[in-house]
Amino acid sequence: VHDMLGRLRFALHYGLGFVFLVLHPVFGDVSYSIPEERKRGYVIGNIAKDLGLDPGQLSARKARIDTEDNTIQYCSVNLNTGNLVVQERIDREGLCAKKASCVLKQELVLENPLELHRISIRVQDINDNSPQFKEDSLRIEIRESAIKGARFLLDEAHDGDIGENAVQGYSLQQNDHFKLNVQIKDGGQKYCELVLDKELDREDKNEIVLLLTAFDGGSPQRSGTVVIHVTVLDANDNAPVFSQAVYKASLPENSPLETLVITVSATDADEGVNGEITYGFNHVSGEYNNVFSLQPKTGEVRVAGAIDFEKTSSYEIQISAKDGLGLASYANLIIEVSDINDNAPVIYLKSLSNPVPENVSPGTEVGIINVQDRDSGENKQVRCSIQQNVPFKLVPSIKNYYSVVSTGQLDRELVSDYNITITATDKGSPPLSSSKSVQLSVADINDNPPVFEEQSYSAYVSENNKAGSSLCSVTARDPDWRQNGTVVYSLLAGEVNGAPVSSYVSVNGDTGVIHAVRSFDYEQLRSFKVQVMARDNGSPPLSSNVTVSVFISDVNDNCPQILYPAPEGNSFMTELVPKAAHGGSLVSKVIAVDSDSGQNAWLSYHIVKSTDPGLFTIGVHSGEIRTQRDISESDSMKQNLIVAVKDNGQPSLSATCSMYLLISDNLAEVPELKDMSYDEKNSKLTSYLIIALVCVSTFFLTFIIIILGVRFCRRRKPRLLFDGAVAIPSAYLPPNYADVDSTGTLRSTYNYDAYLTTGSRTSDFKFVTSYNDNTLPADQTLRKSPSDFAEVHSYFILSLKFVLRVDLSTHLLPTILRNSEIHFLFITIGSLFNLVLLCSFTVHSFPAITHFP
């Protein structure tokens, strides 16, 4: 019947624990009940459902189970289902020993935002421990004088379980002398006494062996036994008596070894051996072993091991006092341990966002820390801070949690890594502190464009360079990291002289070296500018531009070009020189230019061959041909000069031309020009043209003489003066020689005027007004009155211009016209047309002509 009742109580108690999980929220906390020794993976309850959480958010919010003291984590949460499961073996005896209520404290931590839920797990006892006696056998000595009903206290059996699973009773093997009396202490513990039921007779039996059994109330029931050896002695009727039933002592933790805790004492009224008392611990559990020692003779209790308040805050020990013949009495010793500040705070890094983007806004949470201190009271209160000058701070959160929050703008280019030292200090006396270093990296953001090392670049290259040659190199730096700092170079679209800039230069995208795509010509292009862009590989990419100025330097690659006289082999360009010209008179001028610049265009003039070497000289830098001496009658009328024009380049380039001079004062001598042949291959058509021109000129002169003879009584033959200057047709000046600055021989002291008709480059001619006073003396000029001869002289000069224009046109026209019938027809028609106009003009203006002086 007793066994059946015990089993019913066990089923009722633990059946409810297995079937129903008691859940009662207290201020948002959750409580569960669970039997001890459950297997790993045992589902305690659905924590997500009980707390009203979405199971799908557990993983995203990094849900986890923490303990208050960060020791053993007995439970974990299934992030998929939200179930709270057993992770480590839960032994109620190891956790709570003999405490009636065993509660395991756990915490559910959720991040983003941070939430903390306390979980209380009440661990229920199961019958997993059998009752045990301190020793395998007990020896009791009883005086034979003991009377019936004498009681002998037996050692108490110890069972690690509690409640119904603890020791519920004792049973004694059937014998003739003793029976068992079970007693209950104030704390509910049961102990037994051996009661003498029948007097002992040492002579009949001096030793009795008994079997004592202790059993618990669990299901199945467990038991333990001890053998009692009773030795019958002579009478000892007094047992030791303690001075007090309960002894109390206070002891600070970390007390050194051999520290005296307390001294217990007991007295025995007997004498001799029966009065000798021996002290000892009646029963000490495993956690108390080797912590205290008891001197058997003096009763001094001393420290024998480490005293740690954080492990055990109080000790309760039963002490026995036995006399020499085995009589004993018992007393309780309660030792309270006081806390001292012997534990420094411990910092745990729970979460860290690493690396942190450099564009993170101030106030962003980048990490979570938890601070624990195992002490109590003031010693447990902790202050946490960051002492360094870093853009981060600690913000207190829930309980002993802190958030690491950014306080300023981060810049990876200035500081790429932070070594943050977190210091925690308690309020103990003296205070203890600890620190933890947290390495935090800053992730790069593409926030810096490439920057060129120079604001602008200049490249210098000589003309006629090879295609592909290197001009210069541009360099841009980007302080960003990896692809955000990788710079790629390219040309911006543009034009140079109407052509794409890419047809002139190219840039290496990796190195920034600029290469020439073509060969440059200084005479066509002296400088140009290109825009180079440096772009990084960030997302989005950033870029910057720089201007590269390319300057082309001149190379002496152009020969001098002679503008006058025309450098054509079959040209008939002749200068008339007065016979009365003095030494130093300006006869003509060689005009040349050079497309190069600088010293490559500095020209010098030299006569390399002449008919009379001593008659003419040429200005080395001006190209002016002058007489070296006065012209004499013995000098040949026809003078041929070959002039060489050289530049000052290295090496020097040159060109040559022929100058034909005719020493004559009279137009009548002009027909002799037909005898001057410079080209033996002239066609017959040229001869016909000369004859036609002479005829027209003779007719014109005869007409003038008749007009003058009729009008004037006195005639006077004028003397034609040739100034020595030459007419330079403007068509001989190419467009690119419009600006010759100190490099050729075109100077402002000589004015050259040209009249052109449509379709011909050399169809008109005009005498040049010279400002050279050394041409002829003043007394050799025509004398005239300012009023009478001015108008007639103007018309006469105009007529003379006409004749010379017609005569010399053959030398100024291109060769293709002089060698064709078209040229002949053009000359004939033009001459007759001009003659008619001149005659009409003369008749119309005749009344205005007065007389010659």
Side-chain angles (χ1 to χ4, degrees):
V1 174
H2 181 76
D3 292 339
M4 184 173 293
L5 289 176
R7 293 176 181 178
L8 288 175
R9 287 195 301 270
F10 178 83
L12 179 61
H13 182 74
Y14 290 102
L16 293 176
F18 277 89
V19 176
F20 300 101
L21 295 175
V22 180
L23 173 64
H24 58 283
V26 179
F27 301 109
D29 296 345
V30 181
S31 297
Y32 296 96
S33 293
I34 179 177
E36 67 174 330
E37 303 294 340
R38 295 297 91 185
K39 295 181 179 180
R40 292 184 180 181
Y42 175 82
V43 177
I44 300 174
N46 193 301
I47 188 69
K49 179 180 178 181
D50 297 336
L51 291 176
L53 301 176
D54 185 5
Q57 296 182 355
L58 296 179
S59 178
R61 297 184 62 183
K62 300 180 182 178
R64 62 180 179 272
I65 298 298
D66 282 349
T67 59
E68 289 186 350
D69 55 357
N70 286 283
T71 55
I72 300 175
Q73 185 173 334
Y74 292 97
C75 302
S76 64
V77 61
N78 190 319
L79 299 182
N80 295 324
T81 63
N83 289 333
L84 183 67
V85 299
V86 174
Q87 181 171 320
E88 294 292 337
R89 173 178 174 265
I90 300 177
D91 183 13
R92 192 203 65 80
E93 288 74 25
L95 289 175
C96 304
K98 285 292 186 178
K99 293 182 181 179
S101 176
C102 183
V103 179
L104 180 64
K105 300 291 186 178
Q106 302 284 290
E107 294 176 346
L108 175 65
V109 180
L110 299 172
E111 297 184 11
N112 195 21
L114 180 62
E115 293 184 19
L116 182 66
H117 298 277
R118 289 175 294 181
I119 303 172
S120 298
I121 301 176
R122 188 177 302 278
V123 182
Q124 297 177 347
D125 183 51
I126 64 173
N127 192 25
D128 58 341
N129 291 283
S130 299
Q132 292 181 353
F133 289 90
K134 181 180 179 181
E135 298 176 352
D136 294 334
S137 62
L138 298 177
R139 294 188 176 275
I140 301 176
E141 295 178 348
I142 303 176
R143 291 282 181 181
E144 62 179 355
S145 60
I147 63 175
K148 183 180 179 180
R151 298 173 181 271
F152 304 95
L153 183 64
L154 299 178
D155 286 346
E156 180 183 357
H158 175 73
D159 194 333
D161 299 323
I162 62 173
E164 293 293 330
N165 297 324
V167 176
Q168 297 297 318
Y170 298 86
S171 63
L172 184 65
Q173 184 183 9
Q174 189 68 32
N175 62 87
D176 296 331
H177 296 278
F178 296 95
K179 65 179 181 179
L180 196 63
N181 183 27
V182 179
Q183 300 290 335
I184 300 177
K185 295 182 179 179
D186 294 338
Q189 297 177 342
K190 294 183 179 182
Y191 66 96
C192 60
E193 296 176 336
L194 195 60
V195 179
L196 183 62
D197 190 50
K198 182 180 179 180
E199 290 79 7
L200 300 175
D201 186 3
R202 189 188 66 82
E203 288 73 16
D204 182 47
K205 198 175 186 179
N206 62 353
E207 185 174 2
I208 302 172
V209 178
L210 303 175
L211 181 63
L212 177 64
T213 302
F215 55 89
D216 58 24
S219 178
Q221 191 178 57
R222 294 176 178 269
S223 62
T225 60
V226 65
V227 178
I228 302 175
H229 297 274
V230 178
T231 302
V232 181
L233 302 175
D234 288 338
N236 180 23
D237 54 356
N238 291 293
V241 178
F242 280 98
S243 60
Q244 56 191 65
V246 178
Y247 292 90
K248 294 184 178 179
S250 179
L251 180 68
E253 65 173 327
N254 298 332
S255 296
L257 299 179
E258 298 300 324
T259 299
L260 178 64
V261 179
I262 197 173
T263 300
V264 296
S265 63
T267 59
D268 195 319
D270 296 326
E271 294 181 356
V273 176
N274 296 330
E276 293 181 359
I277 300 174
T278 302
Y279 301 96
F281 293 127
N282 185 35
H283 180 77
V284 180
S285 61
E287 58 179 310
Y288 298 164
N289 283 337
N290 302 322
V291 177
F292 300 100
S293 63
L294 177 61
Q295 185 63 247
K297 297 299 182 182
T298 62
E300 295 179 348
V301 179
R302 295 182 179 273
V303 176
I307 306 298
D308 190 354
F309 174 84
E310 286 70 41
K311 288 184 178 181
T312 305
S313 59
S314 64
Y315 296 88
E316 185 174 353
I317 307 173
Q318 191 177 60
I319 301 176
S320 63
K322 295 183 179 181
D323 59 19
L325 298 179
L327 294 179
S329 62
Y330 301 92
N332 289 331
L333 172 61
I334 299 175
I335 302 175
E336 298 289 342
V337 180
S338 60
D339 181 46
I340 64 172
N341 192 27
D342 61 340
N343 290 281
V346 181
I347 302 172
Y348 298 95
L349 182 62
K350 295 298 183 180
S351 177
L352 182 65
S353 299
N354 198 10
V356 180
E358 62 178 323
N359 62 345
V360 67
S361 59
T364 302
E365 181 181 271
V366 299
I368 297 175
I369 64 168
N370 177 255
V371 182
Q372 298 287 344
D373 195 318
R374 297 179 60 194
D375 296 321
S376 63
E378 287 284 332
N379 300 330
K380 188 179 181 67
Q381 299 181 14
V382 179
R383 298 185 302 270
C384 198
S385 62
I386 297 176
Q387 302 296 332
Q388 300 161 289
N389 186 18
V390 293
F392 299 96
K393 67 177 181 178
L394 290 179
V395 177
S397 186
I398 302 173
K399 200 177 178 182
N400 50 358
Y401 283 86
Y402 293 82
S403 297
V404 183
V405 178
S406 63
T407 60
Q409 191 65 45
L410 305 181
D411 190 348
R412 191 204 66 84
E413 287 69 43
L414 295 178
V415 181
S416 61
D417 295 280
Y418 290 94
N419 186 8
I420 303 174
T421 301
I422 301 174
T423 302
T425 305
D426 59 28
K427 293 185 179 180
S429 180
L432 299 178
S433 63
S434 61
S435 60
K436 185 177 185 64
S437 295
V438 178
Q439 293 289 338
L440 194 62
S441 300
V442 181
D444 183 50
I445 300 296
N446 190 26
D447 56 348
N448 290 280
V451 178
F452 285 94
E453 292 183 347
E454 300 181 18
Q455 294 182 351
S456 62
Y457 292 84
S458 298
Y460 299 89
V461 59
S462 300
E463 64 173 328
N464 303 327
N465 59 295
K466 293 183 179 180
S469 60
S470 175
L471 301 182
C472 69
S473 176
V474 297
T475 303
R477 306 292 182 187
D478 194 322
D480 291 325
W481 194 46
R482 289 187 176 175
Q483 66 178 12
N484 293 334
T486 302
V487 180
V488 179
Y489 303 92
S490 62
L491 289 178
L492 291 180
E495 291 187 353
V496 177
N497 283 353
V501 69
S502 58
S503 63
Y504 284 83
V505 295
S506 65
V507 63
N508 188 305
D510 296 327
T511 63
V513 177
I514 299 177
H515 299 274
V517 176
R518 62 166 67 173
S519 178
F520 300 128
D521 188 354
Y522 174 82
E523 287 69 41
Q524 295 181 2
L525 182 65
R526 297 191 177 186
S527 65
F528 60 92
K529 294 182 179 181
V530 297
Q531 292 284 331
V532 178
M533 179 180 70
R535 175 182 55 82
D536 58 30
N537 285 329
S539 180
L542 301 178
S543 63
S544 60
N545 303 334
V546 72
T547 301
V548 180
S549 300
V550 180
F551 298 95
I552 304 170
S553 57
D554 184 46
V555 174
N556 191 28
D557 58 345
N558 291 281
C559 296
Q561 183 175 353
I562 300 174
L563 302 180
Y564 184 84
E568 299 181 3
N570 52 4
S571 173
F572 193 67
M573 184 66 68
T574 303
E575 301 286 348
L576 298 180
V577 181
K579 292 182 179 180
H582 294 288
S585 299
L586 177 63
V587 173
S588 184
K589 181 179 178 69
V590 177
I591 301 175
V593 293
D594 196 316
S595 299
D596 297 320
S597 64
Q599 68 176 6
N600 295 330
W602 296 349
L603 303 181
S604 60
Y605 301 85
H606 309 275
I607 298 176
V608 297
K609 184 177 181 181
S610 65
T611 303
D612 189 349
L615 182 56
F616 299 100
T617 183
I618 189 170
V620 176
H621 299 295
S622 64
E624 296 176 348
I625 300 176
R626 297 179 181 272
T627 57
Q628 294 191 68
R629 56 179 175 80
D630 295 342
I631 297 177
S632 63
E633 295 294 335
S634 62
D635 291 329
S636 174
M637 180 182 292
K638 303 174 183 178
Q639 296 290 330
N640 184 12
L641 301 180
I642 298 178
V643 179
V645 183
K646 298 181 179 180
D647 59 26
N648 198 34
Q650 294 295 331
S652 176
L653 302 178
S654 64
T656 60
C657 66
S658 297
M659 177 68 71
Y660 303 102
L661 304 177
L662 180 63
I663 301 176
S664 175
D665 289 336
N666 196 336
L667 285 176
E669 300 175 355
V670 173
E672 295 181 1
L673 292 173
K674 65 182 183 293
D675 296 333
M676 300 177 65
S677 177
Y678 305 105
D679 188 358
E680 296 179 356
K681 297 181 180 180
N682 287 340
S683 63
K684 293 180 180 181
L685 181 59
T686 304
S687 300
Y688 295 152
L689 293 175
I690 295 175
I691 294 172
L693 292 174
V694 171
C695 291
V696 173
S697 299
T698 303
F699 174 76
F700 172 77
L701 292 177
T702 304
F703 179 80
I704 294 299
I705 293 172
I706 293 173
I707 295 298
L708 294 177
V710 174
R711 180 64 179 143
F712 298 99
C713 296
R714 195 175 96 180
R715 294 178 299 170
R716 185 175 183 182
K717 183 180 178 181
R719 185 179 183 184
L720 299 180
L721 301 178
F722 293 88
D723 190 77
V726 296
I728 306 300
S730 62
Y732 274 75
L733 298 176
N736 57 339
Y737 296 113
D739 180 15
V740 182
D741 185 12
S742 301
T743 58
T745 57
L746 294 179
R747 299 189 178 180
S748 60
T749 56
Y750 296 94
N751 298 328
Y752 302 93
D753 298 331
Y755 295 105
L756 300 180
T757 59
T758 304
S760 174
R761 293 192 308 167
T762 59
S763 63
D764 207 346
F765 186 89
K766 183 180 179 182
F767 277 96
V768 179
T769 302
S770 174
Y771 298 99
N772 191 340
D773 296 335
N774 296 326
T775 303
L776 287 177
D779 57 356
Q780 295 183 16
T781 61
L782 293 175
R783 293 192 300 273
K784 55 191 178 296
S785 66
S787 60
D788 297 339
F789 188 67
E791 188 174 2
V792 175
H793 183 265
S794 299
Y795 296 145
F796 184 79
I797 293 301
L798 178 61
S799 303
L800 184 57
K801 288 181 181 179
F802 165 76
V803 174
L804 293 178
R805 179 192 64 194
V806 175
D807 289 344
L808 298 179
S809 62
T810 57
H811 305 291
L812 301 178
L813 289 173
T815 305
I816 187 172
L817 293 179
R818 295 200 308 270
N819 295 332
S820 65
E821 291 77 7
I822 298 175
H823 178 258
F824 178 77
L825 180 60
F826 171 80
I827 294 300
T828 303
I829 295 174
S831 298
L832 293 177
F833 179 77
N834 288 328
L835 181 59
V836 173
L837 290 178
L838 183 59
C839 291
S840 300
F841 179 79
T842 305
V843 173
H844 178 73
S845 304
F846 191 80
I849 302 178
T850 57
H851 63 278
F852 289 101

